[in-house]
Amino acid sequence: MSTKMRKPEVLKLAENLDITEATPLIGELLKHRGADIKIDASSVKKMGGQCLQALLCASATWTLDGTHIEIITPSDDFLQCVEAYGLHLSHFSSQEPAL
Amino acid sequence: MKKTILTVDDSRTMREMLKATLLGAGYEVMQAEDGVHGLEVLEGAMPDVILTDINMPRMDGFGFIEGVRRDSRYRSVPILVLTTEGEPEKKDRARRAGATGWIVKPFDPEKLINAIRRLAA
Amino acid sequence: MDTMAAIKQTFFQECEEQLVELESGLLALEDGTSEPDTINAVFRAVHSIKGGAGAFGLEQLVRFAHAFETALDLVRGGKLTATRAILKTMLSAADVLADLVRITREDGVADDAEITRMVQQLEAISHGGAAAAGSQPADAEPADDLDFVPIQISLADLIGAGPSGTRSFKIRFEPKTGFYARANEPLVMLREISRLGAMRVTCDQTRLPSLTELDPEGAYLAWEIHLDTESDESALRDIFEFVEFDCDISIEEKQVEADFDTDAFAQLMSLASGQTPPMAQPLEPRTEQIAAEIASRNESETANRKSDANKGFNQAGATIRVDLERVERLIDLVGELVINQAMLSQRVAEARIARSSALAMGLDELEQLSREIQDSVMAIRAQPVKPIFQRMSRVVREAADMTGKSVTLHCDGDSTEVDKTVIERLTDPLTHMIRNAIDHGIEKPEVRLAAGKPESGHIRLAAMHRSGRVVIEVSDDGGGINRERVRSAAIAKGLIEPEAQLSDEEIDNLIFLPGFSTAATVTDMSGRGVGMDVVKRSIQALGGRISIASTPGRGSTFVMSLPLTLAVLDGMIVSVADETLIVPLTAIVETLKPSTGDIYHMGGDSRVIRIRDTFVPLIDIGHVLGYRNKLADPQNCVVVLIDLEGHARRALLVDTIQGQRQVVIKSLEANYRRVDGIAAATILGDGRVALILDVDAVVENANGKAASSASESLDLDHDTHARAPQRAHDFATELEPEPVE
């Protein structure tokens, strides 16, 4: 777990985020804990419920940690999934403390 | 890309019906004659949905489903059980083995395709 | 729809296979097998028939198969012991099922009373089993009967059928771990719901833990959906049908009129109905670890399976299923090829090309190859006699039941292969011979016991290949032929002269004479109007021969010798009044040049010829077939002595003999129409069409002519009938050097 902060790191999501991707995804996310991170969702075609909850969990965790997390270049499929789940892209980003 | 469906059924009649139905709906079809054969066919293939009968020689549907789910590669492949038997305890056994859904034979082609379409989405 | 028709065809083929499986399984159980595989296979056979029948909406078949399957399931599950009586009922049920399949295939309507009776018997068995096992109430079963044929309703119908007007639902959907473990996805459910109408979804994340505590494959999210739809609740329930145990679902319809807090009400309801409260305990918490462990352990197993897979594919490649029509087309084409090759050879011969030339030698090789191709192609259509032998076990059961005798059947050589077309035409003769053996051969149990024999009679069916033909034997250990009774019956019917001196074999062969029947009383079976003469005729129609050997008190053996195929025939090519005819070689005893002194005129057109010490009716083929009006002068002719059924002989008068050869049979009926006296046609090497003589029909025609013109010839006719067999038998043994027994 490094603390090479400054430059936000980028985590690229797999194409098919099914149940088998959940464990590796959480592992990857935990590696970046404490750092600002951008999640590249450009190649996502499918997102299952468990990867969804991992990403949602990450955004809550990053918010609590006071670090930044956000989705970049979401694919159409990803956006459609998000909408179908009754969510918005903002749900995946860390919430800046209201001033 | 076309979606691929694996069907496992010991009845040639059923296999032909399923094949005709699935091809007609634009799917690629792989077929196996029983559970053992099903696991063999599965090697090196990645179907989008698996349809299996329960009552088969050599290895029945329960054994087949367990076999599929044991293999981490296939954990996310939806498995639909297609059988004439509708008893709750059999359903429950198939569910515990890892079946995603259940369709009673004789199947309504439209209903079957609907079920597959939504699972393969 | 073409595909459906083809699949239905497959279904019926498969039924036949399942029925064989079913019967042999039941018979094995009767023999005391306790292999679980056997009962499983039996169950599967019926189950499979039911499944297919359901797919085609064959309700009668489904109903029957279901009753049968229910009983078998109890045996399979060990809740019911398959006693002899139960197995007997099941064998009868298998017979009824076979009938029902056949009737259904022919689009017929089965006798509902018989089906119902059998269904009741099966249900009685099932209820007995269920009651004995003390499991579910016995009469719960029939009510379920119709339940398993689903009514085919599409989603669209449901929507259309729903009450009109928009309804509002509030749905809460909370997947559990098992939901994901079974490869379900919330998105699938959400998308399905959205198809029903306008919806608003909110995702409930309140149960999400922190990332470090998150079980990657746990289930923490829930969704709340507001849906405005024209569908009713059942359409919604349908979506969750598969997953009802793997998630918590509440569906509440919002009463538009009622003005109270439906959300609160829903919450109350879910609490009241004992729904899992939020923060549900994660089920199967260690699934993932266990799965990973198993997965790693499976790596090696997977590798093993891979090599097995290859093996499996090789095995699967060992047989293929081919449309019979294609095979028949191939056989036809190969027939054409053989004819063509023969024509080519003839042309080359006519061109006086040296036999040692490269061309002639190449042609020889071609001939060799054509023959080999022909043999191989014929082998494609060859099938084991097993199915037909198995069908005979039913015949034995029925005949034994009907006569009150106890009979067992033993089959040997059931893997012997014969051309499909031959096999198809064996059922009737075999059925009749077996019925005959049980009706007339096997004695009543008390008689057998008194004779020091086992109480149960024994019938043996055996098939074997012998010098290019198939030999099928039907033997019984009954009383043998009652020669005294056969003889007196033959005399009474005017078939032989009272003073005729007949050997035992001659007497035995009398039973093949038309119109012969020894039954003192007409039994159920022998009253069917089929005699051994019909059996003999149908065997002959197949190009076969039949003979009988009998020992008083020990039983009888019928031996049939059949060609391997009906597609080719060894024939003698003869000329009659400038026409070319083929006489099947199997019928020919010898050929000879007649001398005038041996011919006797019997009045009218009938003549006989003396061959050594026997008088044989002389048949002028040209005259019988109407090629010429005048009788031929025997001096310019050749006599072909033929062996008829019943070992009677006839002398056929032909002009010249051209030679012998194998010819490819072309059906006249298929290409032209049936012609009396002619069995089929062929095309010779020089391109001429030659007719293949139906020897028996020709003789029958000649008999008709003779009977009308000279009655005295009939007496002599019978005399030769009676005298001929001894010599015919001698000849038959010459032809078949290996003794039959």
Side-chain angles (χ1 to χ4, degrees):
Chain A
M1 240 168 276
S2 63
T3 36
K4 36 178 174 171
M5 300 200 144
R6 301 313 121 210
K7 218 161 189 194
E9 291 154 31
V10 177
L11 172 59
K12 190 171 165 78
L13 295 176
E15 228 176 74
N16 185 7
L17 298 172
D18 65 12
I19 190 169
T20 57
E21 278 296 321
T23 305
L25 175 60
I26 291 170
E28 281 300 310
L29 287 167
L30 285 173
K31 273 190 208 162
H32 297 280
R33 179 97 187 255
D36 289 348
I37 187 175
K38 291 180 189 293
I39 310 285
D40 176 354
S42 60
S43 30
V44 175
K45 287 188 173 154
K46 271 190 192 177
M47 176 167 54
Q50 281 158 321
C51 286
L52 170 70
Q53 64 197 11
L55 290 173
L56 291 173
C57 198
S59 86
T61 306
W62 260 247
T63 303
L64 282 175
D65 288 353
T67 42
H68 184 79
I69 189 169
E70 70 173 317
I71 301 283
I72 55 165
T73 59
S75 66
D76 284 351
D77 285 335
F78 183 83
L79 290 173
Q80 274 179 26
C81 278
V82 169
E83 196 192 334
Y85 278 122
L87 296 163
H88 302 286
L89 213 48
S90 64
H91 284 113
F92 298 87
S93 305
S94 49
Q95 312 295 305
E96 308 302 332
L99 292 168
Chain B
M1 208 180 77
K2 272 190 175 181
K3 305 272 185 189
T4 305
I5 315 296
L6 166 65
T7 77
V8 187
D9 201 309
D10 62 324
S11 157
R12 206 160 61 239
T13 312
M14 257 324 139
R15 286 199 303 273
E16 283 186 19
M17 290 196 91
L18 286 171
K19 194 171 185 177
T21 307
L22 294 170
L23 288 178
Y27 291 104
E28 299 267 9
V29 182
M30 298 183 350
Q31 300 202 297
E33 298 179 6
D34 57 42
V36 174
H37 191 205
L39 291 176
E40 287 168 7
V41 168
L42 202 53
E43 274 303 316
M46 185 50 81
D48 293 280
V49 176
I50 297 173
L51 289 177
T52 181
D53 187 22
I54 285 299
N55 214 300
M56 297 182 289
R58 299 208 291 172
M59 181 194 281
D60 65 13
F62 303 126
F64 172 69
I65 297 168
E66 280 164 8
V68 174
R69 287 283 180 253
R70 259 202 301 271
D71 193 323
S72 57
R73 290 170 296 170
Y74 305 118
R75 287 177 54 225
S76 65
V77 180
I79 304 176
L80 272 181
V81 173
L82 193 63
T83 174
T84 46
E85 297 175 75
E87 302 94 89
E89 62 270 26
K90 293 252 171 67
K91 268 193 189 183
D92 192 51
R93 224 184 122 190
R95 200 183 62 80
R96 276 185 282 116
T100 312
W102 185 285
I103 285 186
V104 175
K105 281 196 282 195
F107 60 88
D108 172 357
E110 195 181 339
K111 224 177 165 178
L112 177 74
I113 295 300
N114 274 337
I116 290 175
R117 190 183 36 70
R118 65 194 213 200
L119 287 174
Chain C
M1 189 174 158
D2 231 9
T3 331
M4 278 315 271
I7 296 174
K8 204 164 177 179
Q9 200 62 28
T10 305
F11 166 64
F12 282 116
Q13 279 170 15
E14 203 172 11
C15 277
E16 291 303 327
E17 292 162 17
Q18 304 290 4
L19 287 167
V20 169
E21 194 73 16
L22 168 64
E23 183 164 35
S24 57
L26 286 173
L27 289 172
L29 289 173
E30 205 179 29
D31 282 348
T33 311
S34 49
E35 291 270 320
D37 278 356
T38 309
I39 179 66
N40 284 337
V42 164
F43 174 83
R44 239 182 352 256
V46 177
H47 181 76
S48 191
I49 291 175
K50 184 181 103 174
F56 292 106
L58 306 170
E59 281 165 31
Q60 214 176 19
L61 201 49
V62 170
R63 182 170 72 105
F64 188 81
H66 179 66
F68 201 170
E69 179 193 71
T70 307
L72 286 169
D73 196 28
L74 290 171
V75 176
R76 187 174 65 141
K79 290 178 186 157
L80 180 67
T81 311
T83 59
R84 245 170 201 285
I86 284 178
L87 283 170
K88 205 173 166 202
T89 309
M90 286 185 167
L91 277 163
S92 312
D95 293 345
V96 172
L97 185 60
D99 286 343
L100 196 52
V101 165
R102 186 175 41 73
I103 291 168
T104 311
R105 179 179 213 159
E106 290 158 5
D107 289 326
V109 178
D111 177 4
D112 215 47
E114 194 197 352
I115 306 292
T116 307
R117 203 162 44 240
M118 200 69 238
V119 166
Q120 282 165 351
Q121 282 188 44
L122 287 168
E123 282 171 356
I125 289 177
S126 305
H127 293 173
S135 56
Q136 74 260 60
D139 49 359
E141 203 51 39
D144 291 347
D145 232 350
L146 297 167
D147 187 57
F148 69 90
V149 183
I151 310 153
Q152 311 210 330
I153 303 168
S154 71
L155 218 51
D157 287 343
L158 273 175
I159 295 165
S164 62
T166 306
R167 305 161 75 172
S168 289
F169 290 97
K170 182 179 180 221
I171 304 140
R172 187 180 163 83
F173 161 52
E174 200 173 315
K176 301 183 203 168
T177 322
F179 178 88
Y180 294 106
R182 293 176 185 99
N184 276 299
E185 279 298 342
L187 212 49
V188 171
M189 306 293 151
L190 294 172
R191 286 201 171 119
E192 272 321 290
I193 296 170
S194 77
R195 294 166 67 86
L196 295 179
M199 79 170 185
R200 274 188 337 262
V201 191
T202 49
C203 181
D204 176 356
Q205 307 181 42
T206 51
R207 290 195 297 127
L208 271 181
S210 77
L211 192 59
T212 38
E213 289 159 45
L214 184 78
D215 173 358
E217 297 186 6
Y220 305 95
L221 298 173
W223 283 268
E224 278 182 10
I225 303 132
H226 294 264
L227 176 72
D228 293 328
T229 177
E230 297 195 351
S231 309
D232 60 6
E233 191 181 325
S234 69
L236 273 170
R237 292 276 174 205
D238 268 4
I239 293 170
F240 295 101
E241 187 191 345
F242 299 147
V243 294
E244 52 181 340
F245 300 103
D246 287 329
C247 54
D248 290 324
I249 302 152
S250 66
I251 299 175
E252 306 296 338
E253 186 168 357
K254 289 195 260 187
Q255 304 303 121
V256 184
E257 304 87 359
D259 194 12
F260 63 91
D261 185 351
T262 46
D263 289 6
F265 179 71
Q267 260 171 13
L268 270 175
M269 286 300 286
S270 78
L271 281 176
S273 61
Q275 299 271 15
T276 340
M279 291 313 293
Q281 70 288 11
L283 291 171
E284 308 160 55
R286 298 275 70 89
T287 326
E288 173 247 332
Q289 279 180 3
I290 297 166
E293 219 171 278
I294 294 172
S296 71
R297 218 183 306 154
N298 264 26
E299 293 291 14
S300 56
E301 266 177 50
T302 308
N304 289 343
R305 210 159 57 212
K306 209 169 235 161
S307 62
D308 280 351
N310 293 335
K311 236 181 282 164
F313 279 127
N314 289 341
Q315 277 163 4
T319 60
I320 56 160
R321 206 160 274 278
V322 180
D323 193 347
L324 188 61
E325 250 175 55
R326 288 195 197 176
V327 175
E328 264 151 22
R329 169 109 186 98
L330 186 59
I331 288 177
D332 238 46
L333 281 174
V334 172
E336 302 282 352
L337 174 69
V338 169
I339 290 169
N340 222 283
Q341 170 266 317
M343 284 165 79
L344 195 57
S345 298
Q346 193 148 338
R347 295 275 182 281
V348 169
E350 281 163 10
R352 302 194 179 283
I353 291 168
R355 285 204 64 79
S356 58
S357 71
L359 177 62
M361 275 158 60
L363 266 177
D364 281 350
E365 273 167 35
L366 178 65
E367 179 172 0
Q368 191 65 31
L369 274 174
S370 309
R371 280 291 155 94
E372 275 175 33
I373 292 174
Q374 194 169 29
D375 288 349
S376 314
V377 168
M378 293 303 176
I380 294 178
R381 205 168 51 175
Q383 291 186 329
V385 294
K386 186 173 181 180
I388 191 172
F389 273 20
Q390 242 157 7
R391 227 176 296 165
M392 290 308 124
S393 70
R394 170 179 184 179
V395 173
V396 168
R397 274 200 304 282
E398 286 178 346
D401 279 354
M402 217 177 275
T403 53
K405 294 170 185 175
S406 163
V407 184
T408 56
L409 176 72
H410 180 80
C411 296
D412 284 328
D414 55 8
S415 57
T416 307
E417 290 191 334
V418 192
D419 192 298
K420 184 177 158 62
T421 50
V422 175
I423 287 192
E424 279 164 358
R425 289 160 69 181
L426 271 178
T427 318
D428 286 350
L430 273 182
T431 303
H432 189 75
M433 285 160 73
I434 284 178
R435 282 194 182 135
N436 215 58
I438 294 172
D439 203 12
H440 302 303
I442 305 278
E443 313 91 329
K444 294 237 183 251
E446 56 274 20
V447 179
R448 290 183 65 88
L449 287 174
K453 289 182 176 181
E455 186 176 351
S456 218
H458 191 78
I459 289 189
R460 180 172 170 268
L461 254 182
M464 65 213 87
H465 282 298
R466 186 174 291 164
S467 42
R469 289 173 77 85
V470 181
V471 174
I472 295 179
E473 293 181 9
V474 180
S475 43
D476 65 70
D477 67 344
I481 285 185
N482 184 335
R483 300 200 170 111
E484 212 32 63
R485 219 166 80 197
V486 167
R487 195 188 140 85
S488 53
I491 293 169
K493 290 184 196 304
L495 297 172
I496 53 167
E497 294 298 308
E499 60 273 13
Q501 293 298 308
L502 302 181
S503 70
D504 286 351
E505 276 159 308
E506 286 167 343
I507 295 175
D508 292 349
N509 277 300
L510 287 174
I511 64 165
F512 291 119
L513 290 184
F516 182 88
S517 169
T518 52
T521 55
V522 173
T523 66
D524 263 356
M525 287 187 299
S526 50
R528 294 183 192 201
V530 189
M532 286 306 290
D533 60 319
V534 176
V535 170
K536 181 155 192 173
R537 213 172 315 136
S538 35
I539 296 300
Q540 276 176 328
L542 287 171
R545 286 190 302 266
I546 183 165
S547 64
I548 180 175
S550 180
T551 314
R554 302 271 301 278
S556 311
T557 300
F558 288 91
V559 181
M560 287 173 281
S561 148
L562 297 157
L564 286 174
T565 170
L566 295 183
V568 288
L569 168 130
D570 284 310
M572 182 178 279
I573 305 173
V574 300
S575 308
V576 178
D578 295 330
E579 297 288 335
T580 306
L581 294 173
I582 314 277
V583 184
L585 218 52
T586 49
I588 298 175
V589 178
E590 61 176 302
T591 58
L592 48 102
K593 192 89 190 135
S595 57
T596 340
D598 289 336
I599 311 285
Y600 298 83
H601 286 264
M602 304 303 297
D605 283 341
S606 51
R607 293 178 289 185
V608 298
I609 180 170
R610 193 174 67 184
I611 298 173
R612 289 174 282 273
D613 292 331
T614 328
F615 289 98
V616 180
L618 190 64
I619 294 167
D620 186 334
I621 298 287
H623 188 61
V624 172
L625 292 179
Y627 291 162
R628 57 185 160 220
N629 294 324
K630 272 181 59 190
L631 288 178
D633 178 359
Q635 269 205 287
N636 304 326
C637 293
V638 181
V639 162
V640 179
L641 188 63
I642 54 159
D643 195 5
L644 293 179
E645 328 306 332
H647 291 289
R649 286 185 171 184
R650 289 296 184 276
L652 304 184
L653 209 54
V654 303
D655 297 355
T656 53
I657 290 172
Q658 295 180 14
Q660 265 182 29
R661 73 144 36 112
Q662 198 176 50
V663 296
V664 178
I665 298 174
K666 301 259 159 201
S667 165
L668 264 193
E669 283 161 69
N671 298 315
Y672 177 55
R673 63 180 170 81
R674 212 195 123 62
V675 179
D676 220 24
I678 303 298
T682 190
I683 300 166
L684 296 175
D686 57 7
R688 277 178 303 154
V689 172
L691 300 175
I692 300 168
L693 216 54
D694 180 343
V695 174
D696 288 289
V698 165
V699 169
E700 236 166 73
N701 279 356
N703 278 352
K705 283 191 182 176
S708 57
S709 57
S711 58
E712 65 266 38
S713 69
L714 275 176
D715 288 340
L716 184 111
D717 220 29
H718 290 143
D719 202 16
T720 42
H721 255 306
R723 220 175 298 160
Q726 184 58 59
R727 300 174 41 75
H729 182 79
D730 289 349
F731 193 77
T733 28
E734 274 167 41
L735 273 183
E736 287 180 278
E738 296 152 274
V740 165
E741 274 185 289

